[in-house]
Amino acid sequence: VVDAKNLRYQLNSHKDSSSFPEAYNQIAFADVVILNKVDLVSSEDLGGGVEELEKEIHCINSLAWIVPTIRCQVDLSVILNCASYDGTRTSHLEALLKDNNSLSTTGLHDNSVRTMCLSKPGQVDLNKVRVWIEEILWEKKHSMDVYRCKGVLSVHGSDQLHTLQAVREIYEIVPARKWLEDENKINKIVFIGHSLNEDILADSFQDCLFQDQ
């Protein structure tokens, strides 16, 4: 639950500190964000209204579904049983990845918690992907701190769409369903974390693509 009236103050409080406020972490790990007290926010407020707050939340975690509320009145069916970590249920994941296709961190100059999307055509070598993601998550290679990531992979030698999901150091890559004949078989991964470097992630992932000998 996010307090719409005080969110901007909470997010800005890290600028004079060496640490991040709890609001960043809670938003980064959330699947659903209940944006409460939207009736107390006006477009005339400094920094804008509810729409601008939603943009700020999605800059941190574009995978989160935002539910604006007043006095936390919300249909429980909206926020319960989301099955966000069920690797075999891909419909919600594919839709989110489609929405994030053009997301980029280019042009952002601070090291705040944020989202970025990596999109590459071709098929990947699954063993190389495992080494790549373990170096990033476990060894903190390139000094990036990944909180979460979700993605779909086109794996060489398989007709199955594979899903990648990770929270901190724990990850899994599993086959989910067959690729459809008319589908664009592409690799898309959404990262949420601190000090993400889009160029390094894109260049290093390039080495995971299958190359004919």
Side-chain angles (χ1 to χ4, degrees):
V1 179
V2 168
D3 184 335
K5 183 65 175 177
N6 295 302
L7 176 61
R8 189 165 285 111
Y9 168 77
Q10 292 173 330
L11 294 181
N12 290 337
S13 65
H14 82 283
K15 292 182 178 179
D16 298 320
S17 171
S18 59
S19 61
F20 287 98
E22 185 62 24
Y24 267 96
N25 291 328
Q26 291 184 4
I27 292 173
F29 285 100
D31 295 302
V32 180
V33 173
I34 299 175
L35 186 59
N36 193 37
K37 301 182 182 179
V38 294
D39 55 318
L40 301 181
V41 178
S42 168
S43 59
E44 298 178 356
D45 292 343
L46 183 64
V50 173
E51 185 175 336
E52 292 303 314
L53 286 176
E54 291 182 353
K55 288 180 181 179
E56 289 193 45
I57 292 171
H58 274 150
C59 280
I60 300 170
N61 180 355
S62 66
L63 293 173
W65 183 13
I66 301 174
V67 183
T69 65
I70 298 174
R71 297 184 180 180
C72 278
Q73 295 180 358
V74 60
D75 183 351
L76 292 181
S77 65
V78 172
I79 61 175
L80 299 179
N81 195 29
C82 296
S84 298
Y85 296 96
D86 185 347
T88 63
R89 292 185 60 178
T90 62
S91 57
H92 67 289
L93 179 57
E94 292 171 76
L96 288 168
L97 290 170
K98 183 177 181 180
D99 291 341
N100 283 278
N101 188 34
S102 61
L103 188 65
S104 171
T105 58
T106 302
L108 299 177
H109 301 296
D110 61 38
N111 291 320
S112 297
V113 177
R114 66 166 65 97
T115 299
M116 65 148 288
C117 181
L118 175 66
S119 180
K120 290 280 186 180
Q123 293 185 317
V124 296
D125 182 317
L126 187 54
N127 290 329
K128 289 183 178 180
V129 172
R130 293 187 186 280
V131 172
W132 174 74
I133 197 68
E134 287 169 8
E135 287 180 340
I136 293 171
L137 298 179
W138 297 356
E139 300 176 18
K140 299 293 187 290
K141 193 172 183 179
H142 310 300
S143 300
M144 288 181 283
D145 189 6
V146 175
Y147 295 174
R148 300 175 61 190
C149 70
K150 289 188 177 186
V152 294
L153 300 171
S154 176
V155 176
H156 175 71
S158 173
D159 62 355
Q160 297 282 313
L161 177 153
H162 284 60
T163 60
L164 162 65
Q165 300 199 67
V167 178
R168 287 296 191 182
E169 291 83 7
I170 300 174
Y171 81 94
E172 69 170 4
I173 301 174
V174 295
R177 64 158 175 80
K178 282 190 175 183
W179 286 98
L180 304 179
E181 289 187 6
D182 59 346
E183 258 183 327
N184 183 19
K185 297 179 181 178
I186 197 167
N187 305 284
K188 294 182 183 178
I189 305 174
V190 176
F191 290 90
I192 302 170
H194 177 227
S195 299
L196 300 179
N197 188 309
E198 183 175 9
D199 292 334
I200 289 177
L201 286 172
D203 290 345
S204 58
F205 185 77
Q206 187 72 28
D207 294 333
C208 298
L209 297 178
F210 178 79
Q211 304 290 339
D212 289 325
Q213 300 297 325

